[in-house]
Amino acid sequence: MNVAVFGSTGYLGSELIKILSYREDVEIVYTASSQKEAGRLEGAKIAFLALPHQQSMETVPKVLPLMELGVIDLSGAYRLKNPSDYLSFYGWEHRYTSLLKEAIYGLPETKRAVIHKAKLVA
């Protein structure tokens, strides 16, 4: 599977790249330290976002339509369903509330079947 990794220079992104590089069924075809280069994702079928919360919030709507299999966001930007909770817990307002409805909080222990069908996993 061809994957893209955003936030590759941060701690979480670099650890993710290490984990993915051990897998024989994964090829990392794109890395970026931020979302600024999101237009050049040829070949990637799924994107991992290891970005700060607000940066991920802005990146998901740009990258999601380009990915055949979807986006896995490792930040907290799409974990909560209620938009007002973002102001309470994170101190900022969520700008893409329609995407909150389709995001799945990906706890494989409880949501394994739903994760397989989701295009946006938090």
mmCIF file with all atom_site columns, all heavy atoms in Angstrom, residues 40-53:
data_model
loop_
_atom_site.group_PDB
_atom_site.id
_atom_site.type_symbol
_atom_site.label_atom_id
_atom_site.label_alt_id
_atom_site.label_comp_id
_atom_site.label_asym_id
_atom_site.label_entity_id
_atom_site.label_seq_id
_atom_site.pdbx_PDB_ins_code
_atom_site.Cartn_x
_atom_site.Cartn_y
_atom_site.Cartn_z
_atom_site.occupancy
_atom_site.B_iso_or_equiv
_atom_site.pdbx_formal_charge
_atom_site.auth_seq_id
_atom_site.auth_comp_id
_atom_site.auth_asym_id
_atom_site.auth_atom_id
_atom_site.pdbx_PDB_model_num
ATOM 1   N N   . ARG A 1 40 ? 0.918  17.428 -4.366 1.00 0.00 ? 40 ARG A N   1
ATOM 2   C CA  . ARG A 1 40 ? 1.749  16.459 -5.085 1.00 0.00 ? 40 ARG A CA  1
ATOM 3   C C   . ARG A 1 40 ? 1.719  15.099 -4.392 1.00 0.00 ? 40 ARG A C   1
ATOM 4   O O   . ARG A 1 40 ? 2.701  14.649 -3.843 1.00 0.00 ? 40 ARG A O   1
ATOM 5   C CB  . ARG A 1 40 ? 3.171  16.985 -5.162 1.00 0.00 ? 40 ARG A CB  1
ATOM 6   C CG  . ARG A 1 40 ? 3.245  18.321 -5.859 1.00 0.00 ? 40 ARG A CG  1
ATOM 7   C CD  . ARG A 1 40 ? 4.662  18.780 -6.132 1.00 0.00 ? 40 ARG A CD  1
ATOM 8   N NE  . ARG A 1 40 ? 5.666  18.239 -5.263 1.00 0.00 ? 40 ARG A NE  1
ATOM 9   C CZ  . ARG A 1 40 ? 6.482  18.933 -4.508 1.00 0.00 ? 40 ARG A CZ  1
ATOM 10  N NH1 . ARG A 1 40 ? 6.391  20.244 -4.497 1.00 0.00 ? 40 ARG A NH1 1
ATOM 11  N NH2 . ARG A 1 40 ? 7.403  18.369 -3.764 1.00 0.00 ? 40 ARG A NH2 1
ATOM 12  N N   . LEU A 1 41 ? 0.587  14.439 -4.459 1.00 0.00 ? 41 LEU A N   1
ATOM 13  C CA  . LEU A 1 41 ? 0.418  13.181 -3.741 1.00 0.00 ? 41 LEU A CA  1
ATOM 14  C C   . LEU A 1 41 ? 0.205  11.996 -4.682 1.00 0.00 ? 41 LEU A C   1
ATOM 15  O O   . LEU A 1 41 ? -0.454 11.030 -4.312 1.00 0.00 ? 41 LEU A O   1
ATOM 16  C CB  . LEU A 1 41 ? -0.777 13.291 -2.790 1.00 0.00 ? 41 LEU A CB  1
ATOM 17  C CG  . LEU A 1 41 ? -0.593 14.246 -1.632 1.00 0.00 ? 41 LEU A CG  1
ATOM 18  C CD1 . LEU A 1 41 ? -1.908 14.504 -0.933 1.00 0.00 ? 41 LEU A CD1 1
ATOM 19  C CD2 . LEU A 1 41 ? 0.425  13.720 -0.663 1.00 0.00 ? 41 LEU A CD2 1
ATOM 20  N N   . GLU A 1 42 ? 0.739  12.057 -5.877 1.00 0.00 ? 42 GLU A N   1
ATOM 21  C CA  . GLU A 1 42 ? 0.531  10.991 -6.846 1.00 0.00 ? 42 GLU A CA  1
ATOM 22  C C   . GLU A 1 42 ? 0.951  9.645  -6.273 1.00 0.00 ? 42 GLU A C   1
ATOM 23  O O   . GLU A 1 42 ? 2.034  9.503  -5.722 1.00 0.00 ? 42 GLU A O   1
ATOM 24  C CB  . GLU A 1 42 ? 1.311  11.246 -8.143 1.00 0.00 ? 42 GLU A CB  1
ATOM 25  C CG  . GLU A 1 42 ? 0.901  12.489 -8.889 1.00 0.00 ? 42 GLU A CG  1
ATOM 26  C CD  . GLU A 1 42 ? 1.690  13.713 -8.461 1.00 0.00 ? 42 GLU A CD  1
ATOM 27  O OE1 . GLU A 1 42 ? 2.706  13.580 -7.771 1.00 0.00 ? 42 GLU A OE1 1
ATOM 28  O OE2 . GLU A 1 42 ? 1.253  14.826 -8.799 1.00 0.00 ? 42 GLU A OE2 1
ATOM 29  N N   . GLY A 1 43 ? 0.083  8.672  -6.399 1.00 0.00 ? 43 GLY A N   1
ATOM 30  C CA  . GLY A 1 43 ? 0.405  7.323  -5.984 1.00 0.00 ? 43 GLY A CA  1
ATOM 31  C C   . GLY A 1 43 ? -0.006 6.962  -4.574 1.00 0.00 ? 43 GLY A C   1
ATOM 32  O O   . GLY A 1 43 ? -0.151 5.793  -4.254 1.00 0.00 ? 43 GLY A O   1
ATOM 33  N N   . ALA A 1 44 ? -0.200 7.930  -3.708 1.00 0.00 ? 44 ALA A N   1
ATOM 34  C CA  . ALA A 1 44 ? -0.596 7.618  -2.332 1.00 0.00 ? 44 ALA A CA  1
ATOM 35  C C   . ALA A 1 44 ? -2.076 7.264  -2.293 1.00 0.00 ? 44 ALA A C   1
ATOM 36  O O   . ALA A 1 44 ? -2.901 7.924  -2.916 1.00 0.00 ? 44 ALA A O   1
ATOM 37  C CB  . ALA A 1 44 ? -0.315 8.804  -1.421 1.00 0.00 ? 44 ALA A CB  1
ATOM 38  N N   . LYS A 1 45 ? -2.397 6.206  -1.559 1.00 0.00 ? 45 LYS A N   1
ATOM 39  C CA  . LYS A 1 45 ? -3.785 5.780  -1.418 1.00 0.00 ? 45 LYS A CA  1
ATOM 40  C C   . LYS A 1 45 ? -4.372 6.141  -0.061 1.00 0.00 ? 45 LYS A C   1
ATOM 41  O O   . LYS A 1 45 ? -5.576 6.194  0.113  1.00 0.00 ? 45 LYS A O   1
ATOM 42  C CB  . LYS A 1 45 ? -3.900 4.276  -1.636 1.00 0.00 ? 45 LYS A CB  1
ATOM 43  C CG  . LYS A 1 45 ? -3.586 3.870  -3.051 1.00 0.00 ? 45 LYS A CG  1
ATOM 44  C CD  . LYS A 1 45 ? -3.842 2.406  -3.267 1.00 0.00 ? 45 LYS A CD  1
ATOM 45  C CE  . LYS A 1 45 ? -3.515 2.069  -4.694 1.00 0.00 ? 45 LYS A CE  1
ATOM 46  N NZ  . LYS A 1 45 ? -4.658 1.661  -5.434 1.00 0.00 ? 45 LYS A NZ  1
ATOM 47  N N   . ILE A 1 46 ? -3.472 6.363  0.907  1.00 0.00 ? 46 ILE A N   1
ATOM 48  C CA  . ILE A 1 46 ? -3.908 6.722  2.253  1.00 0.00 ? 46 ILE A CA  1
ATOM 49  C C   . ILE A 1 46 ? -2.882 7.689  2.838  1.00 0.00 ? 46 ILE A C   1
ATOM 50  O O   . ILE A 1 46 ? -1.695 7.593  2.536  1.00 0.00 ? 46 ILE A O   1
ATOM 51  C CB  . ILE A 1 46 ? -4.088 5.470  3.138  1.00 0.00 ? 46 ILE A CB  1
ATOM 52  C CG1 . ILE A 1 46 ? -4.802 5.815  4.431  1.00 0.00 ? 46 ILE A CG1 1
ATOM 53  C CG2 . ILE A 1 46 ? -2.769 4.771  3.383  1.00 0.00 ? 46 ILE A CG2 1
ATOM 54  C CD1 . ILE A 1 46 ? -5.345 4.599  5.160  1.00 0.00 ? 46 ILE A CD1 1
ATOM 55  N N   . ALA A 1 47 ? -3.368 8.637  3.626  1.00 0.00 ? 47 ALA A N   1
ATOM 56  C CA  . ALA A 1 47 ? -2.472 9.621  4.245  1.00 0.00 ? 47 ALA A CA  1
ATOM 57  C C   . ALA A 1 47 ? -2.571 9.530  5.760  1.00 0.00 ? 47 ALA A C   1
ATOM 58  O O   . ALA A 1 47 ? -3.662 9.403  6.314  1.00 0.00 ? 47 ALA A O   1
ATOM 59  C CB  . ALA A 1 47 ? -2.830 11.031 3.789  1.00 0.00 ? 47 ALA A CB  1
ATOM 60  N N   . PHE A 1 48 ? -1.413 9.576  6.399  1.00 0.00 ? 48 PHE A N   1
ATOM 61  C CA  . PHE A 1 48 ? -1.323 9.687  7.849  1.00 0.00 ? 48 PHE A CA  1
ATOM 62  C C   . PHE A 1 48 ? -0.962 11.129 8.173  1.00 0.00 ? 48 PHE A C   1
ATOM 63  O O   . PHE A 1 48 ? -0.022 11.674 7.591  1.00 0.00 ? 48 PHE A O   1
ATOM 64  C CB  . PHE A 1 48 ? -0.223 8.776  8.403  1.00 0.00 ? 48 PHE A CB  1
ATOM 65  C CG  . PHE A 1 48 ? -0.552 7.317  8.360  1.00 0.00 ? 48 PHE A CG  1
ATOM 66  C CD1 . PHE A 1 48 ? -0.273 6.561  7.245  1.00 0.00 ? 48 PHE A CD1 1
ATOM 67  C CD2 . PHE A 1 48 ? -1.124 6.699  9.462  1.00 0.00 ? 48 PHE A CD2 1
ATOM 68  C CE1 . PHE A 1 48 ? -0.566 5.205  7.208  1.00 0.00 ? 48 PHE A CE1 1
ATOM 69  C CE2 . PHE A 1 48 ? -1.412 5.345  9.443  1.00 0.00 ? 48 PHE A CE2 1
ATOM 70  C CZ  . PHE A 1 48 ? -1.134 4.603  8.309  1.00 0.00 ? 48 PHE A CZ  1
ATOM 71  N N   . LEU A 1 49 ? -1.695 11.730 9.106  1.00 0.00 ? 49 LEU A N   1
ATOM 72  C CA  . LEU A 1 49 ? -1.406 13.092 9.534  1.00 0.00 ? 49 LEU A CA  1
ATOM 73  C C   . LEU A 1 49 ? -0.885 13.070 10.960 1.00 0.00 ? 49 LEU A C   1
ATOM 74  O O   . LEU A 1 49 ? -1.600 12.702 11.883 1.00 0.00 ? 49 LEU A O   1
ATOM 75  C CB  . LEU A 1 49 ? -2.655 13.968 9.459  1.00 0.00 ? 49 LEU A CB  1
ATOM 76  C CG  . LEU A 1 49 ? -2.986 14.579 8.103  1.00 0.00 ? 49 LEU A CG  1
ATOM 77  C CD1 . LEU A 1 49 ? -3.169 13.544 7.034  1.00 0.00 ? 49 LEU A CD1 1
ATOM 78  C CD2 . LEU A 1 49 ? -4.188 15.470 8.207  1.00 0.00 ? 49 LEU A CD2 1
ATOM 79  N N   . ALA A 1 50 ? 0.377  13.425 11.122 1.00 0.00 ? 50 ALA A N   1
ATOM 80  C CA  . ALA A 1 50 ? 1.013  13.520 12.434 1.00 0.00 ? 50 ALA A CA  1
ATOM 81  C C   . ALA A 1 50 ? 1.338  14.989 12.680 1.00 0.00 ? 50 ALA A C   1
ATOM 82  O O   . ALA A 1 50 ? 2.465  15.360 12.963 1.00 0.00 ? 50 ALA A O   1
ATOM 83  C CB  . ALA A 1 50 ? 2.271  12.654 12.474 1.00 0.00 ? 50 ALA A CB  1
ATOM 84  N N   . LEU A 1 51 ? 0.317  15.803 12.551 1.00 0.00 ? 51 LEU A N   1
ATOM 85  C CA  . LEU A 1 51 ? 0.436  17.260 12.642 1.00 0.00 ? 51 LEU A CA  1
ATOM 86  C C   . LEU A 1 51 ? -0.206 17.761 13.929 1.00 0.00 ? 51 LEU A C   1
ATOM 87  O O   . LEU A 1 51 ? -1.024 17.066 14.527 1.00 0.00 ? 51 LEU A O   1
ATOM 88  C CB  . LEU A 1 51 ? -0.280 17.901 11.441 1.00 0.00 ? 51 LEU A CB  1
ATOM 89  C CG  . LEU A 1 51 ? 0.244  17.550 10.057 1.00 0.00 ? 51 LEU A CG  1
ATOM 90  C CD1 . LEU A 1 51 ? -0.739 17.997 8.986  1.00 0.00 ? 51 LEU A CD1 1
ATOM 91  C CD2 . LEU A 1 51 ? 1.604  18.181 9.836  1.00 0.00 ? 51 LEU A CD2 1
ATOM 92  N N   . PRO A 1 52 ? 0.107  18.995 14.344 1.00 0.00 ? 52 PRO A N   1
ATOM 93  C CA  . PRO A 1 52 ? -0.613 19.599 15.467 1.00 0.00 ? 52 PRO A CA  1
ATOM 94  C C   . PRO A 1 52 ? -2.111 19.683 15.154 1.00 0.00 ? 52 PRO A C   1
ATOM 95  O O   . PRO A 1 52 ? -2.513 19.732 13.986 1.00 0.00 ? 52 PRO A O   1
ATOM 96  C CB  . PRO A 1 52 ? 0.003  20.996 15.580 1.00 0.00 ? 52 PRO A CB  1
ATOM 97  C CG  . PRO A 1 52 ? 1.351  20.868 14.938 1.00 0.00 ? 52 PRO A CG  1
ATOM 98  C CD  . PRO A 1 52 ? 1.178  19.858 13.840 1.00 0.00 ? 52 PRO A CD  1
ATOM 99  N N   . HIS A 1 53 ? -2.937 19.704 16.200 1.00 0.00 ? 53 HIS A N   1
ATOM 100 C CA  . HIS A 1 53 ? -4.390 19.649 16.052 1.00 0.00 ? 53 HIS A CA  1
ATOM 101 C C   . HIS A 1 53 ? -4.945 20.607 15.002 1.00 0.00 ? 53 HIS A C   1
ATOM 102 O O   . HIS A 1 53 ? -5.656 20.194 14.086 1.00 0.00 ? 53 HIS A O   1
ATOM 103 C CB  . HIS A 1 53 ? -5.094 19.951 17.384 1.00 0.00 ? 53 HIS A CB  1
ATOM 104 C CG  . HIS A 1 53 ? -4.678 19.104 18.523 1.00 0.00 ? 53 HIS A CG  1
ATOM 105 N ND1 . HIS A 1 53 ? -4.638 17.732 18.473 1.00 0.00 ? 53 HIS A ND1 1
ATOM 106 C CD2 . HIS A 1 53 ? -4.279 19.440 19.773 1.00 0.00 ? 53 HIS A CD2 1
ATOM 107 C CE1 . HIS A 1 53 ? -4.243 17.260 19.640 1.00 0.00 ? 53 HIS A CE1 1
ATOM 108 N NE2 . HIS A 1 53 ? -4.007 18.277 20.448 1.00 0.00 ? 53 HIS A NE2 1
#
